[in-house]
Amino acid sequence: MGRDRSPCAGRRGTARIRAAVPVVALVATAVGCGGGTPSGAGPGQAEFDLLTRSGSHPVEARMVETAERELTAACMARAGFPYVVEEPPPVPDSIEEREVDPERLRAIGYGLHDGFDDDGSSTNGPGDGSGGETGDTAGGTANDAYVAALPDDESAAYMTALRGDGGAMREMRFDAGTGVTFPERGCEAESRAELYGTLDAWAATTHAPQFMNLALAKSVTRDPEYLLLIDEWSTCMAGKGFEVESPDAAVEELTAAYEEHGATPGTRDREIATAVADGECALEIRLPSAVLELRHRHAGDLPEEDLDALSRLTTVWAETVERARTRGSAAD
């Protein structure tokens, strides 16, 4: 794409991002046009880490999350409310440990059960593919418990201080069917804007790489090496008594079972058993590491404009991490 057609050329600022436009245009609007470098043959290591949330990113993200919670706690204290800063869980050493959590799989499987009623209807309601942060959770089990124990009027006041009044929402669309909505007021929004520079920079840096990573997955899943890996995984699953073609197929079959039979103890047990076997097979063939390597190989397949946008987002992320690190050093 020629530079004369860049979304950075003659663009106008906007407070809300609603149109279904390419990721690169959203990034240009949210974080500006400076700081990036030409993508060349593909992303550098820092860009790849942000894209796939691998490498140094999990440790950095834990630091940033802690700083955000601390800023939120200070803001809530000014508003007259307590807010417990719960320490994020430690980051596992390997990608296998990060991607496959046997304890969680044994407890909730894929997490499908709570999304269905006994009659098989979804408890999530109709959706448009958007992610969002409009729920009633208060950010951590201790804070959730505190809010749950409050009278309705006090609970509403707490959540207003945390996330605004519910009417002031920002929306960032990545295409016609996917996007994110998030509060533009309240202590969480203030904390994110302070760490990332602007609230839109937080949204773009947090969510745009995820959508790029989903696009990258399309290239990866067509790779013959990936198909061989999934065949190996499927053979492993068959040895454990589960005839499924792929991890996605396993989830689709379980979803269909919930829709047909409802959220019964039987469907829940089937989900957990399948998920546990899935995790065991993924670990046996080191599937997470192999797929990450394929992602690295195919990262250059992303459109050049997306790679340029990713470079700018990586600059924003590095600045955010430095702000979080500086806060931590000052606290020490």
Side-chain angles (χ1 to χ4, degrees):
M1 175 177 288
R3 294 298 175 187
D4 57 328
R5 290 178 290 173
S6 167
C8 298
R11 67 178 176 83
R12 296 179 179 178
T14 179
R16 291 178 180 271
I17 304 173
R18 293 187 179 277
V21 296
V23 168
V24 63
L26 293 172
V27 172
T29 302
V31 306
C33 300
T37 57
S39 58
Q45 188 60 51
E47 286 80 6
F48 183 76
D49 289 351
L50 179 63
L51 174 67
T52 59
R53 297 187 172 187
S54 62
S56 63
H57 186 268
V59 173
E60 294 173 344
R62 186 176 187 272
M63 183 191 313
V64 170
E65 183 178 357
T66 299
E68 181 186 317
R69 292 181 182 184
E70 290 171 347
L71 287 168
T72 300
C75 175
M76 291 294 285
R78 292 192 296 271
F81 294 104
Y83 185 92
V84 177
V85 177
E86 297 187 15
E87 186 176 357
V91 177
D93 292 332
S94 70
I95 186 173
E96 271 73 30
E97 292 174 300
R98 291 196 294 270
E99 295 287 330
V100 181
D101 183 348
E103 184 176 342
R104 183 179 187 277
L105 294 175
R106 287 191 293 268
I108 65 170
Y110 297 111
L112 300 175
H113 180 270
D114 290 343
F116 292 90
D117 286 325
D118 291 343
D119 63 358
S121 59
S122 172
T123 61
N124 297 321
D128 63 355
S130 297
E133 301 189 356
T134 59
D136 296 328
T137 59
T141 55
N143 297 311
D144 291 342
Y146 174 78
V147 173
L150 292 174
D152 288 348
D153 58 340
E154 293 182 29
S155 173
Y158 186 101
M159 295 305 296
T160 297
L162 185 65
R163 294 197 179 132
D165 60 10
M169 301 294 294
R170 262 173 144 68
E171 184 175 21
M172 184 174 284
R173 290 283 177 179
F174 294 92
D175 60 35
T178 57
V180 292
T181 57
F182 49 93
E184 63 178 355
R185 297 177 185 167
C187 286
E188 283 186 344
E190 289 182 20
S191 301
R192 289 163 176 170
E194 182 171 343
L195 271 178
Y196 287 79
T198 69
L199 187 58
D200 286 339
W202 164 79
T205 306
T206 301
H207 297 290
Q210 296 181 50
F211 287 97
M212 294 181 193
N213 200 25
L214 289 174
L216 175 59
K218 295 179 181 179
S219 293
V220 170
T221 54
R222 291 192 294 265
D223 190 296
E225 288 190 30
Y226 176 82
L227 299 177
L228 288 174
L229 282 168
I230 295 305
D231 284 345
E232 188 177 355
W233 175 91
S234 182
T235 299
C236 175
M237 289 291 286
K240 297 178 184 293
F242 299 91
E243 297 290 340
V244 286
E245 293 183 355
S246 69
D248 287 345
V251 173
E252 290 169 3
E253 290 177 15
L254 287 164
T255 299
Y258 275 115
E259 292 172 345
E260 180 178 357
H261 304 292
T264 66
T267 49
R268 182 178 185 275
D269 290 345
R270 175 182 169 187
E271 176 190 349
I272 290 175
T274 304
V276 169
D278 178 353
E280 291 173 349
C281 287
L283 291 176
E284 286 180 24
I285 67 172
R286 296 183 60 81
L287 185 61
S289 292
V291 171
L292 184 65
E293 175 57 33
L294 288 173
R295 286 182 185 275
H296 197 282
R297 188 183 307 169
H298 286 274
D301 296 345
L302 289 170
E304 181 182 350
E305 58 186 12
D306 283 1
L307 292 172
D308 289 342
L310 181 62
S311 180
R312 289 195 292 276
L313 290 171
T314 302
T315 298
V316 174
W317 177 247
E319 293 169 350
T320 301
V321 171
E322 185 55 34
R323 292 188 191 103
R325 183 178 289 113
T326 300
R327 279 187 53 81
S329 298
D332 294 340

